Amino acid sequence: MKSIKNTVAGLLAVLLMAQAGCKQEFLDINNNPNQVTAATPELVLPNALANTGAYMTTSFYFLNLWMGYWNWSGNYSINLSDKNYQFTNSFNQGIWTNGYVNLKNYNYIDQQGATLNQPLLQGMGKIMKAYHFQILVDTYGDIPYTQALQGTTAITPTYDKAQDIYDDLIKQIDAGLALLAKGAGTRNPGTNDIMFGGDIAKWQRFANTLKLRILLRQTEKTDRAAYLQTQFATIKSSGYGFLGAGENAQVNPGYVNSQNQQNPLYGAFYAVNGSPTTTNNQYKANGYALSVLKQTNDPRIGAYYRPVGGTGTNFNGTYFGTIDVLVNSLVSDIGPGVLTGVDKPAVIMSSHESLFMQAEAAQRGLITGTPKALYQAAVTESFINAGRTATEATTYLAQKGVANVDFDASTNKIATIITQKWISENGLAPFEAWADYRRLGLPTDIPISQEPSTSVKQIPVRLFYPQTEFSTNATVVNAQGTINQFTSKIFWIK
């Protein structure tokens, strides 16, 4: 695997350099087969997947702040705009730029898979394009889509409506599934598939689970009810099912304790020599998440955070935006269930997220299955994925009458499912927590920033289009009108 990783790293570097050298073109790809950029899709796949793992685990630190998981350390002076939600177009614009760059890689896999008659690779490319486009829609709303990856034929791509993109993503995933089914007996990427090792059945379940995520986003739109019923019937008829226990969609190109070869999230927090990085010293525990874990006697507290001083049972944190900050020696560090290890996989979609989504869908009557059983399986899986045990999960779930733990006692089953899902996404999947919060307002009591200059007491529903877009595609992006981070909602938000 190490030799594969080094080879692909070199090929991707060439691809990215080719992109950087053509600034006049919007995310153009070099289509000249006589140049070295014409790597086989089989060799581009592992780097694209590794990029997705790094993208999802290191691009959304700010959401860990907004969602009540982390807070700034008292050892640092932070810009007001980072604490009062009054950010600018340059705020985390890498979500846009890096997302589109990696979409080029998956588009290349899709196109070259078709050219070389490799349906399995082509199907994987289509599914992963849908994965990334959903993230962009959920962050920005209307975005370049139909013209986004066309190179010189669309230097200034138009913006498609977010709902239209969503509808087409389902079609693209279905096309990917058809290619996976067609590809039986054809060339399998095998170990170059660093997510599922060439296991096509898992790819099919992942694709259905991605569809489940896209469809659940739209549950609060009453005009989408019939559409959702039709799409869930299609999922059922496919017979593929969803990702289950032990089936994390995660990538590992061969992470080792060497510079730029560590697990991306772990490497952001710990240097090769084991010393804490600036990022490690900057992000600490949030008092809100700690209070939820303590109130419900949740042993995952020791997975998501480290006790003050590294040992014992004293977990301490502060609230986002507080002016009463504490120095690092008085607050908890991010824990081993989040920073799992230098050589551990980077998670793209967890098995417990899949099970929580299935529990919600079953509770809504959208799929078959017992909501309670799926809920308990999801909680148990989240324990295991955080490094705890199934036995601990059983004891935790057996607590009678504890709000948002005891499923039978819950008067709002959806709220219980989503609250537990929120707990499970601590540090590793804040984007999904933000999506559920925007969609359902759950958990209901996530604190607003305590920074005194916070004039709008609301967690933003979106980001601004990035400054890079105003520099390269100004006429089109300006036509989107005035964007407000609090009121310019993504189409699926009520």
Side-chain angles (χ1 to χ4, degrees):
M1 180 62 70
K2 190 172 182 181
S3 61
I4 291 174
K5 174 183 65 181
N6 292 338
T7 299
V8 178
L11 288 168
L12 187 69
V14 173
L15 282 168
L16 295 181
M17 284 189 290
Q19 294 161 3
C22 298
K23 293 181 180 178
Q24 77 278 13
E25 298 175 359
F26 184 82
L27 301 171
D28 188 25
I29 192 164
N30 187 342
N31 289 314
N32 185 344
N34 296 318
Q35 294 192 11
V36 70
T37 51
T40 66
E42 190 172 15
L43 288 179
V44 175
L45 178 66
N47 250 88
L49 289 170
N51 287 346
T52 300
Y55 180 85
M56 292 310 302
T57 55
T58 64
S59 298
F60 302 102
Y61 296 156
F62 70 99
L63 291 179
N64 279 308
L65 303 171
W66 293 3
M67 290 295 101
Y69 298 133
W70 298 355
N71 192 25
W72 298 107
S73 161
N75 288 27
Y76 289 85
S77 177
I78 306 303
N79 292 330
L80 276 182
S81 60
D82 287 332
K83 295 189 290 185
N84 64 10
Y85 312 126
Q86 298 297 329
F87 47 82
T88 67
N89 298 88
S90 61
F91 182 74
N92 285 282
Q93 62 183 339
I95 295 169
W96 176 285
T97 55
N98 294 334
Y100 272 111
V101 165
N102 208 28
L103 273 164
K104 288 192 64 177
N105 291 322
Y106 287 122
N107 195 52
Y108 183 83
I109 293 167
D110 179 3
Q111 293 179 340
Q112 290 297 303
T115 299
L116 299 174
N117 192 26
Q118 295 183 358
L120 296 180
L121 280 158
Q122 186 184 3
M124 293 173 188
K126 286 186 181 296
I127 292 165
M128 292 308 300
K129 282 197 295 183
Y131 178 96
H132 272 280
F133 270 121
Q134 188 199 10
I135 298 296
L136 292 171
V137 169
D138 290 351
T139 306
Y140 301 101
D142 299 351
I143 58 170
Y145 180 68
T146 55
Q147 295 183 357
L149 306 174
Q150 293 184 9
T152 56
T153 62
I155 298 173
T156 55
T158 58
Y159 281 49
D160 294 79
K161 293 295 183 183
Q163 183 173 317
D164 293 343
I165 298 171
Y166 250 53
D167 289 351
D168 195 63
L169 294 183
I170 294 293
K171 295 176 182 177
Q172 293 303 312
I173 295 171
D174 284 340
L177 283 167
L179 286 161
L180 295 180
K182 174 185 176 182
T186 64
R187 186 176 181 86
N188 187 305
T191 56
N192 279 356
D193 168 15
I194 61 171
M195 186 157 71
F196 293 127
D199 188 328
I200 302 306
K202 286 184 178 178
W203 270 100
Q204 291 165 329
R205 291 194 288 276
F206 171 69
N208 265 358
T209 308
L210 179 57
K211 289 175 68 175
L212 175 62
R213 181 194 274 180
I214 292 170
L215 296 172
L216 284 178
R217 289 280 201 273
Q218 304 172 70
T219 57
E220 304 311 294
K221 302 290 289 184
T222 55
D223 61 333
R224 302 293 282 169
Y227 172 79
L228 294 184
Q229 291 287 352
T230 298
Q231 294 305 320
F232 276 107
T234 300
I235 290 175
K236 181 178 180 180
S237 66
S238 74
Y240 298 138
F242 305 104
L243 292 175
E247 292 185 334
N248 290 301
Q250 56 189 14
V251 298
N252 194 336
Y255 298 129
V256 294
N257 193 32
S258 297
Q259 193 66 33
N260 299 321
Q261 295 185 32
Q262 299 166 295
N263 168 289
L265 183 58
Y266 188 91
F269 278 72
Y270 289 101
V272 172
N273 64 7
S275 60
T277 64
T278 299
T279 300
N280 192 319
N281 291 324
Q282 186 172 330
Y283 294 111
K284 301 298 174 183
N286 189 301
Y288 173 72
L290 284 174
S291 69
V292 172
L293 295 165
K294 290 175 180 179
Q295 289 168 8
T296 57
N297 305 306
D298 196 328
R300 287 172 293 184
I301 193 170
Y304 300 138
Y305 307 103
R306 294 186 183 276
V308 176
T311 59
T313 59
N314 178 25
F315 294 89
N316 193 27
T318 55
Y319 287 79
F320 178 49
T322 181
I323 59 174
D324 185 24
V325 293
L326 298 174
V327 296
N328 285 355
S329 60
L330 298 178
V331 292
S332 294
D333 290 338
I334 309 306
V338 177
L339 306 175
T340 54
V342 67
D343 59 349
K344 300 302 182 183
V347 178
I348 289 175
M349 180 186 288
S350 69
S351 52
H352 59 260
E353 182 198 341
S354 174
L355 288 164
F356 277 119
M357 289 193 295
Q358 291 174 60
E360 180 188 349
Q363 182 63 37
R364 294 182 182 277
L366 296 170
I367 64 171
T368 57
T370 305
K372 178 181 177 180
L374 288 165
Y375 163 80
Q376 292 183 328
V379 173
T380 301
E381 190 72 359
S382 76
F383 269 68
I384 294 169
N385 285 338
R388 311 305 295 194
T389 67
T391 300
E392 288 177 299
T394 299
T395 301
Y396 172 76
L397 288 166
Q399 298 179 98
K400 297 297 183 182
V402 177
N404 294 318
V405 177
D406 185 347
F407 194 79
D408 290 330
S410 172
T411 58
N412 186 335
K413 309 294 191 201
I414 295 295
T416 295
I417 292 166
I418 298 301
T419 299
Q420 280 294 327
K421 185 182 176 189
W422 169 85
I423 292 173
S424 76
E425 290 164 340
N426 190 317
L428 287 174
F431 190 89
E432 288 308 302
W434 185 43
D436 284 332
Y437 182 79
R438 291 178 290 164
R439 175 171 66 105
L440 299 169
L442 297 170
T444 58
D445 58 347
I446 292 178
I448 304 303
S449 175
Q450 295 183 354
E451 162 57 42
S453 65
T454 303
S455 57
V456 179
K457 307 297 184 180
Q458 177 185 334
I459 295 172
V461 297
R462 60 165 297 149
L463 299 189
F464 294 131
Y465 292 118
Q467 187 58 46
T468 53
E469 187 70 351
F470 286 91
S471 300
T472 60
N473 198 18
T475 300
V476 177
V477 69
N478 279 317
Q480 297 301 304
T482 301
I483 302 298
N484 183 286
Q485 68 266 48
F486 303 107
T487 61
S488 300
K489 296 179 180 180
I490 312 303
F491 83 95
W492 44 259
I493 302 174
K494 285 199 302 184

